[in-house]
Amino acid sequence: MSYLKFDRTTLSNLDRSLQLEHIRSNRGGAFNCTTLVGCNTRKYHGLLVVPLPHLSHHNHVLLSSLDATVIQHGAEFNLGVHLYGDGTVYPNGHKYIREYNIDKMPRTIYRVGGVVLQRESIFCHYKNQVIIKFTLLDSHSETTLRLRPVVAFRDVILLSHENETAHTTVYPVGTTGVRTCLYEGYPDLYMQVDAPSHWVDEGYWIKNLHYPKEQIRGYESCEDLYSPGYFEMELRNGESVYFTAQLEEVDVTTLPALFDSEVAHRKARVGLRSCLRNACSQFYYKPVSNRHYILAGFPWYGVRARDEMVALPGCSIYSDHPERFHNVMSTFIRSSINFIKQIALPLDMEGVRDPDVGLWAIRAIQLFLAEYPDDSHRSFYLDFVGRIIDYYLSDRHPILRIEPNGLLYAEGSGTPPVTWMDSTIAGQAVVPRRGYLVEVNGLWYNALCFYREARGEENFPEELAGVIERLGPAFEQTFVNPYGYLYDYVTKEGYRERAVRPDMLIAISLPFCPLSRAKQRQVLGIVTSELLTPKGIRSLSPRSEGYVEQCSGLQEQREHAYYNGSAWPWLLGAYTDAYLKINGRSGVTHLARLLGDIQDELQHHGISTLSELYDGNPPYDSHGGISFAMSCAEVLRALVTLERYNSEETPLANYLYYTTSNEERPTR
């Protein structure tokens, strides 16, 4: 039984199929992304989208699409799909699709009269190369296949239009293909096939292509793209032809073996865990040999320090790749120490100076050492933890100050934003959090207690022990309110933010929390009743002033909604920790049902991955990045944590889809 399979009914309905997107990346940060029917609906979509740092810090679309046409008895059937600004859809290739399957790779089966054609696509793991394999499964007469590439050569945040500066000349690459480059500064794009073919140099601009996702987001949504010509070849029953696009000439005789090798190294996506592990693997980014990162998400995010530290455990430890933890954390530690020493920060990571980033790094190390207590890096990591703690205590951070009561205080007006709630409108923070921040101080208390436990009482400085002793009562006195939950932030001027937000959930989810179990249970109850949704935790309670139930409209409207009601899947990691800490095994059924709701999302929007955020109200539509690292990583961590509580009495298989794959079965 295929887990990620879509039938003709779904695919032929563009209202549905154009909402379904697939993305695949490689270690160099390049990606391949489009809808299941191959129709681009975003300016970020393309078959070969690569980083070109000498041009900009964004990725660049080189190959936008590849239209296949089946020709029999002089009749042409174009399998491509394009949207135009006037509402036209042409060609209508989606009408010929019979099946789409994505267990290991995208596989589309078309039926045109008596012709059955299969299209399979691989985005290479370590190279900026896409290989598309066409196989003629059935035909009753001579069949010709035509492949027409459409190229862009532009930044993903820009759109192109027909112009006279484009270099539209196409140059042959031996007898196997062509190369082209529209604009100066870009590399040549090589396009080759492994079968005897004829290149027809028939180039033209495809005008007024429309990207509805950009229109919805309030951006320019139409552009012109260039098609330089097409390959044409004969195919017989059972024969396959491989098309490849990359930045250098390749030996086309190696394409079948390379394609098979790429497929062999991929694990089938057969359930929630394998899908999330696959998604988490996509975020691992190694632009150069000695720098390793976790990308914040696709298709538009780069490396963001806080996102990286939150997502790192799920993208390494809980994906069974502990070596990635070492690689990424080593890079992060170098950047953090440079920040502490006031050395120039790397340009390829944002947000190292944000006040809570060091605390999230300590939390990541805590999770790692819980899994690998005797790891050879233990001493190195604990030295870094001590260095971060000393940095906060020495009042050298540009924003955070240590108060006599042991709490950390974020100075300033809250603009620019200093926590994960970082949206702005006209340069002003939408949620101007400042002062004593509840999750920052929860992380701070946890960091100190973890460091004491890891070092041992006999090796723990008395000064730090005194901070912990003062910090616990101060936390309760500052944040606990008479209403059963915690203030989100408190200022020295006496302001107490009473809005019900999820930051208090982070504080109670940690292994070390200064609140009593009874108070933690009260907070968890408020979170469950007011913030929990089937897709994540709301950023604001519907009962609080300013709640926004849908994240829609223009950029300013969306920025306002992000942290005023939108539901964030990544917070389900903290919710799972808190719920199991308070309820133990009796909480498994509730959490399993919750993850069952999340599992359904894998077949909507970003296929086999999780989006950045969802509406706070039904039907909980997805928004933001198609595939978001914190969402995938923290839900995966929640799933693995939950599996460890699994028992015969509360089997997860009652709520989650599992195949017969041992890899996907929960561990008992």
Side-chain angles (χ1 to χ4, degrees), residues 272-432:
L272 179 59
R273 185 172 184 177
S274 57
C275 282
L276 292 178
R277 286 183 61 185
N278 179 278
C280 284
S281 180
Q282 305 301 305
F283 305 117
Y284 185 52
Y285 171 48
K286 188 173 70 172
V288 293
S289 60
N290 66 337
R291 301 197 73 86
H292 303 251
Y293 303 97
I294 300 296
L295 290 168
F298 294 105
W300 48 70
Y301 288 119
V303 180
R304 305 194 302 189
R306 181 188 300 107
D307 297 54
E308 180 176 80
M309 289 298 100
V310 172
L312 179 56
C315 290
S316 57
I317 309 167
Y318 299 94
S319 297
D320 298 327
H321 285 288
E323 76 285 354
R324 293 178 183 171
F325 186 93
H326 298 314
N327 294 337
V328 173
M329 185 58 76
S330 295
T331 300
F332 175 84
I333 288 174
R334 289 199 301 271
S335 296
S336 296
I337 291 175
N338 285 342
F339 169 65
I340 290 172
K341 292 181 176 180
Q342 297 184 333
I343 299 173
L345 296 176
L347 298 177
D348 46 7
M349 180 188 291
E350 301 175 18
V352 174
R353 71 185 299 275
D354 289 344
D356 59 339
V357 167
L359 298 173
W360 281 114
I362 293 174
R363 173 59 177 148
I365 290 171
Q366 181 182 30
L367 286 167
F368 178 83
L369 292 181
E371 297 292 323
Y372 304 97
D374 300 320
D375 187 83
S376 60
H377 293 74
R378 178 184 177 87
S379 178
F380 172 66
Y381 290 152
L382 290 180
D383 286 346
F384 175 66
V385 170
R387 194 162 187 169
I388 291 294
I389 289 173
D390 178 69
Y391 178 65
Y392 286 130
L393 287 174
S394 65
D395 266 351
R396 285 183 289 155
H397 195 282
I399 298 172
L400 278 186
R401 295 290 173 264
I402 182 75
E403 295 296 312
N405 60 10
L407 293 173
L408 292 175
Y409 192 89
E411 295 184 331
S413 63
T415 294
V418 296
T419 70
W420 72 279
M421 293 188 172
D422 59 358
S423 60
T424 60
I425 297 177
Q428 297 298 306
V430 173
V431 184

